[in-house]
Amino acid sequence: PLHYAAESTSNADVDPATAASVVLLLLVRGRANPCSVDARNRVPYFLASHDKVREAFRRARAELGEDCWPWDTAKVGPALTEDDVVAKKEKAAEKKRRQRVRQKEKKAREKAEAEGMEQRKRQEEEKRKQEDDAKRIRDGLAPKKSTATNVCDFCQGVCKCKRRNQMLQRLDYVYCSSECVQKHKRELMAQAALSRFC
């Protein structure tokens, strides 16, 4: 019966806690021999596949004492007292608590890094926009008012029927009509002429 109880956790239908309590009852109250071997010369502890069943053997060793059975022959691990079980549970709880704290710290670090990256991205976009605006001012254009991509760089008019790649292009700028291209060209030529005289 002890072999059957020890091996019962290999069946998915049997609860390990139930199997452990049966093993403990068989050993403590029923005085079952933990050294008995089955047809294959295996002791019951060898068949115990779950930690709770193995702990039941070790708790029986602590309750019955070392003189009751030759526990080493039965291959049962060191005795496990109630204090040891409580200490083990406390240690596991402490480990879980530390793990939760580490996870919280990791999440906080990741959140701070994400916020830092977002802030750097915003700063880079702002810097690029300022550089673009400065370049536009140098080239005689007003800063962009609209965030749409199909906006004429000279007159700031939105071209509803065209995409940016379909608009007229000259230098780094796009225009809604050839008239805007010519006007901007004349302004650039005038600025260049003025800068030569000054």
Side-chain angles (χ1 to χ4, degrees):
L2 191 56
H3 285 82
Y4 179 75
E7 195 177 18
S8 63
T9 53
S10 60
N11 186 352
D13 297 336
V14 179
D15 179 38
T18 306
S21 61
V22 169
V23 166
L24 191 62
L25 283 172
L26 284 171
L27 286 169
V28 176
R29 291 201 183 150
R31 299 289 182 181
N33 185 357
C35 302
S36 62
V37 291
D38 63 358
R40 293 184 179 173
N41 246 4
R42 298 177 298 183
V43 290
Y45 187 76
F46 181 79
L47 299 175
S49 59
H50 200 276
D51 286 341
K52 287 188 177 181
V53 178
R54 289 178 182 264
E55 284 179 6
F57 276 99
R58 293 174 61 198
R59 287 171 62 194
R61 181 175 183 170
E63 281 185 39
L64 296 173
E66 297 295 320
D67 300 332
C68 187
W69 299 104
W71 296 103
D72 293 332
T73 307
K75 299 182 181 171
V76 175
L80 188 67
T81 62
E82 288 297 324
D83 294 338
D84 294 338
V85 173
V86 170
K88 187 177 178 181
K89 284 182 182 177
E90 287 175 356
K91 187 177 178 182
E94 179 65 23
K95 184 178 178 182
K96 261 190 176 178
R97 189 190 63 75
R98 283 196 310 266
Q99 191 175 18
R100 281 195 299 269
V101 167
R102 280 195 303 269
Q103 285 176 343
K104 282 183 182 178
E105 289 172 354
K106 183 181 176 185
K107 281 184 181 179
R109 273 195 314 270
E110 288 174 353
K111 185 178 178 183
E113 287 174 7
E115 287 174 354
M117 286 181 68
E118 188 67 31
Q119 187 173 359
R120 282 192 297 274
K121 189 176 177 184
R122 280 195 303 269
Q123 289 173 347
E124 287 172 6
E125 286 176 6
E126 185 65 32
K127 184 178 177 184
R128 190 173 66 243
K129 186 179 182 304
Q130 288 174 354
E131 288 172 355
D132 287 347
D133 288 347
K135 183 178 185 297
R136 289 175 65 80
I137 290 170
R138 279 195 311 271
D139 291 342
L141 299 172
K144 267 192 175 181
K145 297 174 186 172
S146 175
T147 57
T149 57
N150 58 343
V151 175
C152 176
D153 286 325
F154 184 73
C155 69
Q156 301 288 320
V158 177
C159 300
K160 295 179 181 172
C161 299
K162 295 181 181 177
R163 284 181 261 141
R164 188 170 177 86
N165 61 357
Q166 294 174 329
M167 297 171 71
L168 297 172
Q169 296 183 354
R170 182 175 180 275
L171 303 174
D172 293 333
Y173 301 108
V174 292
Y175 305 93
C176 60
S177 65
S178 58
E179 187 180 327
C180 285
V181 174
Q182 293 303 321
K183 284 181 182 177
H184 188 220
K185 187 176 178 183
R186 280 194 292 273
E187 281 188 16
L188 289 174
M189 288 169 58
Q191 281 180 357
L194 281 174
S195 65
R196 272 188 253 132
F197 293 120
C198 296

